[in-house]
Structure formats: structure tokens, C-alpha cells
Amino acid sequence: MSTWSVAECRALAEELLGDAGDRWLHVQGVARRAVDLGASEPVVGAAWLHDIGYGVPNAATGMHAIDGACYLDLHGAPREVVALVAHHSGAWVEAEERGLTGRLLAFDVPEQALLDQLTCADMTTGPQGVSVDVDTRVREILDRYEPQHPVARAVERSQGALRAACARAIGVRVV
């Protein structure tokens, strides 16, 4: 892709995840939510691409945020989009849980407000693409994974930060 427009990001996401059932429904919902949040084009593009790490061939780490970012970087995606995909939804904690912090730090850290929008869009969209509140989404993730799975441990540890990111993205004061 040359321009990496939102439409091209959507097309790539559909190519990699279009037959992935609920994952594809979730991605579509996250992109809609990003638009609803008034997100910029790079954030909306990243919303379409945030879960492609589940569908990339030869995924190297098993951590979808890093695998997706690696794929995008190798294919010439804009650095801002790559950074958003790499760092979305508490990826830093999952990277710690998996011993992949160094791999995550290879990617730029995106602007906090943009990362908050992407994280909020992800954490307020359920598996079938339906809008949910953050607490419902956190419970759904924790129910889906065994307690000792790195994703479950990461969400358990980062849930306060995930809620705070959503609050910042929608302009709610966190006490």
C-alpha cells in the first residue's frame, strides 16, 4: 500500500481477519467506536489493524500487538500506525508477562491521547463488535482466558490503566 488510507487499512484487516468470525466483528466495532470518539485517521486506521497480529502468517512472538506491528513495519505502514498497534490496550504489561519488553520497546511510543482513543475503542467493544462498558470487557477477557495465561495476567494487572485510558479518551475525570 502506498498511502495507507483508512480504506486500505480496512482492506488489509479484512484480508487477514475477514474469515476470523468474532475477531472480525470485534475489529469492525472497534473501528466504528474510534470514529465515534472523533479519532484521527491514523487512529481509525490503527483501529482496523489493531488485531491483525492474530492473523499474520508466521507470527513470531504469540503476542498479537507485537506480531501485528512487526507485520505492518515490514510492509511500510506509517510509524504512527505501527506504534499504536504495538502499544494498544496495555500491551506493555502483556509484554512484561511474556518476557517481550525489549521487542515492544523496538517500536515508538505513540502520543498518549491517540493511544487512549485506540485503547478505549478496543476496551469498549465486545467480541461480537457490540459496544460494552470497560468493566464488561475486562470481565469478558478474564473469563475467556485461564487465570495463568499471559493475557489474563496482563489484563488483571492493567485494568486500572485501561479504565483510565478510556476515561481520558471520553473526557471523564478519574478519581
Side-chain angles (χ1 to χ4, degrees):
M1 283 186 268
S2 56
T3 62
W4 291 86
S5 68
V6 168
E8 289 170 312
C9 291
R10 182 196 189 285
L12 177 59
E14 186 170 17
E15 177 185 324
L16 294 171
L17 298 172
D19 61 356
D22 282 355
R23 177 87 49 216
W24 178 235
L25 294 174
H26 169 72
V27 165
Q28 292 174 80
V30 171
R32 281 191 305 273
R33 181 71 172 126
V35 169
D36 291 347
L37 289 169
S40 64
E41 188 166 315
V43 175
V44 176
W48 280 109
L49 298 168
H50 81 284
D51 275 353
I52 66 163
Y54 288 114
V56 296
N58 305 315
T61 70
M63 182 175 158
H64 80 281
I66 291 174
D67 290 334
C70 286
Y71 181 89
L72 292 170
D73 191 44
L74 286 172
H75 288 83
R79 291 177 68 102
E80 187 173 33
V81 172
V82 173
L84 286 163
V85 169
H87 291 276
H88 79 279
S89 302
W92 72 95
V93 180
E94 185 178 344
E96 287 176 1
E97 290 288 339
R98 293 180 180 270
L100 296 171
T101 303
R103 294 289 301 267
L104 182 60
L105 292 175
F107 299 102
D108 294 340
V109 176
E111 181 183 325
Q112 189 65 54
L114 303 180
L115 184 58
D116 287 347
Q117 287 180 324
L118 178 57
T119 296
C120 182
D122 186 25
M123 294 306 298
T124 59
T125 304
Q128 290 83 33
V130 177
S131 291
V132 296
D133 61 67
V134 181
D135 291 330
T136 300
R137 178 75 166 131
V138 165
R139 278 192 309 276
E140 179 274 318
I141 294 168
L142 293 175
D143 288 345
R144 190 166 15 118
Y145 290 93
E146 293 295 324
Q148 290 308 308
H149 192 282
V151 170
R153 291 193 316 256
V155 169
E156 185 69 41
R157 286 179 51 205
S158 65
Q159 60 183 301
L162 297 170
R163 285 185 189 92
C166 290
R168 288 189 301 268
I170 60 175
V172 175
R173 185 168 169 231
V174 178
V175 237

